[in-house]
Amino acid sequence: APDPALVDALKGVKQLYHLAGMVSRDARDGQRMMRVHIDGTRAVLHAAKAAGVTRVLVSSSSGTIAVSKEPDVVADESAPYAVDLVGEWPYYLSKIYQEKLALSLGRALGLEIVIVSPSLLLGPGDRRGSSTGDVKKFLRREIPVVPPGGINFVDARDAASATVAAMERAKDGARYL
């Protein structure tokens, strides 16, 4: 049964941005990330359906599909999930499972689902210093290597604009890097 507090919070909402998440590189946080991303998404979608929400945008990660060991491969939205490649990174695995759950449960519940998958976010408001902290560490030479193929960054303000545009214009089931 849907959580009554979530249902009450969503009454009158037609479009829901599901942006909640947990980022950690610590393998000990794997189960916690799975609960946040999977159990949280399940709870939100059931409450959304009960409250009359019709469309849900789920924020994910480019790490679910836009990674490759091949230097000439440029993955796009049609790429398969990179389960084998990201298998040792609980964050990316939890986001893959979150996407799969959102798409399948959304279909079963009759909710439109759109997924946005930004890369590392940079910009104002990064109080925890997550991605911004990584860049600073690299510039101070505290990170000894750059992954093969490099890393993609996006300004958080651009990602926010793209997220709003996806909610307004994307087709049900679409995914955007």
Side-chain angles (χ1 to χ4, degrees):
D3 180 321
L6 282 175
V7 175
D8 282 347
L10 294 173
K11 286 209 170 129
V13 173
K14 293 298 175 200
Q15 297 181 330
L16 171 65
Y17 291 85
H18 180 36
L19 309 175
M22 176 188 174
V23 178
S24 176
R25 292 185 187 96
D26 188 337
R28 294 172 296 188
D29 288 331
Q31 288 301 316
R32 202 164 140 217
M33 285 185 283
M34 291 290 184
R35 284 193 305 274
V36 168
H37 297 141
I38 298 163
D39 297 343
T41 297
R42 183 179 293 110
V44 164
L45 293 182
H46 280 290
K49 178 64 177 178
V53 173
T54 57
R55 188 171 175 88
V56 180
L57 182 137
V58 176
S59 182
S60 185
S61 167
S62 63
T64 62
I65 58 172
V67 294
S68 175
K69 285 187 176 183
E70 304 300 321
D72 295 329
V73 171
V74 177
D76 65 13
E77 290 84 355
S78 67
Y81 289 111
V83 176
D84 292 339
L85 191 56
V86 301
E88 294 181 26
W89 297 328
Y91 172 73
Y92 294 126
L93 280 178
S94 70
K95 296 305 269 186
I96 287 171
Y97 298 142
Q98 177 191 36
E99 285 187 27
K100 288 181 173 189
L101 171 72
L103 292 168
S104 65
L105 186 55
R107 258 190 311 278
L109 295 174
L111 295 169
E112 291 183 14
I113 303 290
V114 175
I115 296 173
V116 293
S117 302
S119 57
L120 294 176
L121 298 165
L122 296 179
D126 186 5
R127 288 184 278 291
R128 291 180 306 171
S130 53
S131 298
T132 307
D134 289 343
V135 172
K136 287 178 181 177
K137 286 178 186 175
F138 175 75
L139 293 173
R140 290 190 303 249
R141 300 184 190 273
E142 294 172 6
I143 297 176
V145 297
V146 174
I151 297 175
N152 186 28
F153 298 96
V154 63
D155 187 294
R157 294 162 290 196
D158 292 336
S161 294
T163 299
V164 170
M167 176 63 93
E168 292 172 356
R169 297 193 287 269
K171 292 180 183 170
D172 178 29
R175 176 198 297 158
Y176 294 93
L177 286 171

